[in-house]
Amino acid sequence: MAFLTPFRSGRDTAYPDSLRTLLHHFPLLADIGDAALKRLLSQATWFGLPGGTMLDRSGDNRQALFLVVAGCLGVFVEDGRGAKRLVAHIPAGETVGEMSLISGQPQAAQLLALRDTELLRVGRSAFESLIARHPRVMMNLMRILIRRLSDTVRTPIERARPKTFAIVPLQDGLDDDLTAQRLAAALVEMGLKARVLDASYSDRSAEWFNHFEGTHDIVFYRGDAPEGSWTHHCLRQADRVLLLARPDRPLPLKPLEMPAFKERATGMPELLLLHPSSSIRDLPEHFALRGGLFEAHHHIRADRSGDIQRLARFISGRAVGLVLAGGGARGFAHIGVIRALMEAGVPFDHLGGTSMGAITAAGLALEWDLDELTERMRAAFVKTNPLSDYTLPLIALVRGKKVSELLRAHFGDVRIEELPKPFFCVSSDLTTGRIHVHREGLLWRALRASVALPGILPPVTHHGHLLVDGGVMNNLPVDVMSEQAHGPIIASDVTGELDIRVRDSCYGERPVWWLIWQRMRGIPSIVSILMRSGTVGSEAQRRLVRDRADLLFEPPLEGMGIRDWRKFDRAIAEGYEHAVDVIRKKGVPLSEIWSKDVLGARKETAPSRRVESQHQAEVSVIA
């Protein structure tokens, strides 16, 4: 923590006029007059805190008031697992430390500079002297605390969206890359005020950067040399970090040096892979060793403007996530839902699903158009029967070879990391009793695990674990999508409340000869029972997570079972009709966010708001 200057010099108090102007706008100092302001500054200390640095609150700082003159502080609390959680921002013009100063109790929250920050420190004795001579300061402070508590109780707290982004080259030769400018242009077209700052602005003050950020929606700090001083300034200023790299060059094994606490606070960096053509051929060397370097990646192809536009939606909080549920033949309705959404102009930026929904979502992630997706699904499940290679049921009823060959024929040896659009699918880990989220590895094998209905298809082994159909534990993984959501989430649920019935209440007690004589009339077969059991176990989970979707489609599909493969066209038609009706009644999903409330986060679920509100209330008390 570098102290810059006190303002007391003998009997005189000297301070910049610009600072005095700023302080007059602080709610704490409203209407207190120049005399009170002069007394405050005579006993205050002005210091700078580099971005990523924690504010030391030991010693004299334990009970002190801090005024944020420029920059921004983040308030962090520790959750039950020992992880630090960002629960509030303290921007320029606000104060922090009031409650600890008044109560004398030690603070539980930690304060971290989210960017280069300038603060005024007012100690306990100086504060008591100030309020004794100028009681209005205490009245202002009470108003501030009441406002914070009132906002906590009455106003739903939205998750703060990143505002500043550092775009930093990982490899030499990328200094003149125009990705930052292309992103800013795409955001301007979407209605935001976005700008790029490069090394030519390195001599500007923290106050200047603070003002510039305040007058823009999104600011990109474009780094130069990977280890240059300007690059490290970019890292200190950024809420999020985007790393640039070309796939034909190895990634550095050593990540850029950043303050470790900030790295956890704002999330790990994301990697932008710059491809010279429209094809995504290879991943860069050392990509598999990305642990500690980045948490997600995006493919940016030189001749695909849609890649930049999609990344711009991620940055602005408008990226559309599409989650598709499993449901056997009923999953064909997803195609109709997708068609209706496409006609409404809805983009698909992040895709995920379970079982049949995972296969459909994977096709979209590969950028299959609607005709190709329809014909591939028809060829795979209607013209052929992939569940016909029956075997001695020691592990499952069928060998699963046909399913594996079918998936490999359509998806080849593409890896999930190579997909043009972000994708995940879900399987159930019988070894641990938890869901397994597939975000890397061979796509066809991840899909094979996601469709491995227990008893019908053999499980898929993964590092000694047994993986089966994701529908066993999570048939509609909206919660998985929401963990990395950067905008609205659309879900299509085709599970249905009841799609398996029986007329004979005693059929399970009938002798085998009776069942054969009746030709299983009105009686579910073992395959139907096993297929339904692969999703019914997650019914409670499905009811909880689908409430987290911003738009939910539930095609009725009456009289259609999970094995009615021949009703392919009917399922698509009913899915389309249902989706058109929902869109007509509710409109295009969250269109206001795309056109008006540009930086507004999508509404959090009620449980998330309660947790966030609890933390915010805690901050009001402990900060």
Side-chain angles (χ1 to χ4, degrees):
M1 186 163 56
F3 284 86
L4 300 182
T5 180
F7 296 98
R8 188 76 173 177
S9 178
R11 294 185 177 182
D12 299 324
T13 301
Y15 49 85
D17 289 339
S18 59
L19 178 60
R20 182 181 60 182
T21 302
L22 284 174
L23 293 181
H24 272 304
H25 292 90
F26 276 60
L28 179 69
L29 307 178
D31 302 321
I32 69 169
D34 283 340
L37 188 59
K38 183 176 181 179
R39 175 171 292 275
L40 171 70
L41 289 173
S42 69
Q43 302 179 71
T45 307
W46 189 11
F47 68 95
L49 199 63
T53 305
M54 195 183 307
L55 176 61
D56 181 9
R57 299 185 73 184
S58 62
D60 292 339
N61 284 351
R62 181 172 300 174
Q63 295 180 26
L65 179 70
F66 298 93
L67 291 79
V68 182
V69 178
C72 183
L73 293 177
V75 182
F76 292 83
V77 296
E78 191 172 292
D79 60 22
R81 295 175 294 180
K84 298 294 189 298
R85 176 177 172 82
L86 176 64
V87 296
H89 289 78
I90 311 295
E94 292 291 339
T95 58
V96 67
E98 307 93 336
M99 294 306 296
S100 297
L101 184 66
I102 295 172
S103 68
Q105 299 296 317
Q107 65 286 340
Q110 293 178 318
L111 301 177
L112 178 83
L114 298 181
R115 48 185 54 83
D116 287 353
T117 302
E118 294 180 5
L119 302 104
L120 284 180
R121 176 191 175 277
V122 180
R124 183 181 183 87
S125 60
F127 181 74
E128 290 177 348
S129 174
L130 178 68
I131 61 177
R133 291 174 174 267
H134 305 278
R136 177 170 290 277
V137 174
M138 179 56 75
M139 184 64 69
N140 290 342
L141 178 58
M142 296 304 296
R143 288 195 181 103
I144 292 171
L145 297 178
I146 291 172
R147 170 177 56 83
R148 290 179 182 175
L149 290 173
S150 178
D151 290 344
T152 299
V153 174
R154 297 180 182 179
T155 307
I157 299 173
E158 306 291 354
R159 184 173 299 171
R161 291 287 176 188
K163 185 182 184 72
T164 57
F165 293 79
I167 298 186
V168 178
L170 271 183
Q171 304 155 333
D172 294 331
L174 294 175
D175 298 8
D176 57 350
D177 180 77
L178 299 178
T179 299
Q181 286 80 356
R182 295 175 65 196
L183 278 173
L187 290 166
V188 169
E189 289 181 2
M190 294 163 62
L192 287 87
K193 192 173 182 180
R195 280 286 301 276
V196 178
L197 297 179
D198 57 23
S200 62
Y201 294 87
S202 60
D203 59 344
R204 304 302 174 97
S205 66
E207 182 181 340
W208 186 91
F209 287 117
N210 180 73
H211 176 74
F212 190 87
E213 292 173 10
T215 57
H216 290 79
D217 297 314
I218 290 179
V219 176
F220 294 103
Y221 286 89
R222 181 173 170 270
D224 43 20
E227 297 295 337
S229 59
W230 167 249
T231 294
H232 281 274
H233 174 83
C234 296
L235 296 173
R236 295 197 309 271
Q237 288 294 113
D239 293 327
R240 297 286 297 174
V241 177
L242 305 176
L243 304 176
L244 292 177
R246 292 193 180 278
D248 56 350
R249 306 176 192 172
L251 296 178
L253 292 176
K254 179 184 177 183
L256 289 171
E257 294 180 358
M258 298 197 316
F261 191 88
K262 184 178 183 183
E263 193 171 293
R264 294 195 301 270
T266 61
M268 294 292 293
E270 297 184 40
L271 179 67
L272 308 184
L273 285 174
L274 308 177
H275 299 271
S277 64
S278 60
S279 62
I280 301 173
R281 298 179 180 177
D282 296 302
L283 296 172
E285 187 179 349
H286 302 153
F287 183 87
L289 303 176
R290 62 187 179 277
L293 182 59
F294 62 92
E295 68 177 0
H297 67 283
H298 302 269
H299 295 286
I300 307 298
R301 292 163 290 185
D303 55 353
R304 293 289 186 95
S305 61
D307 292 347
I308 285 290
Q309 293 168 354
R310 179 171 58 254
L311 182 57
R313 288 192 291 270
F314 270 95
I315 287 173
S316 62
R318 305 179 190 178
V320 179
L322 179 65
V323 182
L324 306 179
R330 295 169 64 91
F332 297 147
H334 293 318
I335 300 176
V337 171
I338 291 167
R339 176 187 169 192
L341 289 170
M342 285 182 171
E343 290 178 354
V346 178
F348 305 129
D349 300 310
H350 193 179
L351 299 141
T354 297
S355 197
M356 182 65 76
I359 295 176
T360 307
L364 292 177
L366 273 170
E367 299 183 322
W368 293 347
D369 61 31
L370 196 60
D371 290 338
E372 182 177 5
L373 176 64
T374 303
E375 290 311 309
R376 284 180 179 271
M377 295 293 284
R378 187 193 303 274
F381 297 100
V382 180
K383 295 181 179 179
T384 61
N385 181 8
L387 298 178
S388 61
D389 53 344
Y390 292 97
T391 185
L392 186 64
L394 298 177
I395 300 176
L397 293 177
V398 302
R399 295 176 58 196
K401 185 177 180 181
K402 280 191 174 182
V403 174
S404 296
E405 290 177 347
L406 178 149
L407 292 172
R408 193 162 188 172
H410 286 278
F411 296 102
D413 291 327
V414 175
R415 298 182 64 85
I416 295 177
E417 306 95 305
E418 298 171 340
L419 293 173
K421 298 181 178 181
F423 168 84
F424 73 87
C425 65
V426 172
S427 63
S428 301
D429 190 334
L430 295 183
T431 304
T432 63
R434 302 173 182 173
I435 67 168
H436 183 92
V437 182
H438 299 264
R439 299 188 189 275
E440 58 186 10
L442 288 171
L443 175 60
W444 76 266
R445 190 162 177 82
L447 296 174
R448 171 65 178 79
S450 190
V451 302
L453 282 159
I456 297 179
L457 286 167
V460 172
T461 58
H462 179 75
H463 299 303
H465 291 217
L466 291 179
L467 306 181
V468 297
D469 195 296
V472 173
M473 295 180 182
N474 193 342
N475 199 47
L476 186 66
V478 175
D479 53 335
V480 177
M481 177 69 78
S482 67
E483 291 174 358
Q484 295 185 329
H486 294 269
I489 298 177
I490 301 173
S492 179
D493 188 1
V494 296
T495 307
E497 298 297 329
L498 285 174
D499 67 345
I500 183 168
R501 301 172 184 270
V502 62
R503 301 189 185 96
D504 184 0
S505 60
C506 299
Y507 88 99
E509 303 168 10
R510 304 291 189 185
V512 175
W513 62 264
W514 188 90
L515 296 174
I516 296 175
W517 177 60
Q518 289 290 323
R519 297 182 181 178
M520 300 287 290
R521 292 191 181 96
I523 298 173
S525 69
I526 184 174
V527 176
S528 296
I529 293 172
L530 289 172
M531 290 187 72
R532 179 56 175 165
S533 66
T535 57
V536 73
S538 62
E539 184 68 18
Q541 168 78 358
R542 182 176 67 94
R543 291 178 182 274
L544 288 174
V545 300
R546 65 181 181 174
D547 290 336
R548 302 177 70 171
D550 295 288
L551 187 70
L552 176 67
F553 296 101
E554 295 181 283
L557 304 172
E558 295 182 5
M560 183 174 299
I562 51 183
R563 296 181 61 202
D564 289 336
W565 310 108
R566 299 295 178 182
K567 297 180 180 179
F568 181 82
D569 294 312
R570 176 195 156 188
I572 295 176
E574 291 192 14
Y576 175 75
E577 292 172 4
H578 169 77
V580 168
D581 184 58
V582 171
I583 292 173
R584 182 169 56 247
K585 293 177 180 177
K586 298 184 178 181
V588 175
L590 300 186
S591 59
E592 292 82 7
I593 285 184
W594 298 340
S595 60
K596 297 178 183 178
D597 186 14
V598 178
L599 292 180
R602 71 178 186 86
K603 290 185 177 180
E604 300 292 339
T605 58
S608 296
R609 286 199 296 266
R610 285 197 297 271
V611 171
E612 203 76 32
S613 298
Q614 178 182 356
H615 284 310
Q616 188 74 16
E618 184 180 1
V619 169
S620 298
V621 175
I622 63 182

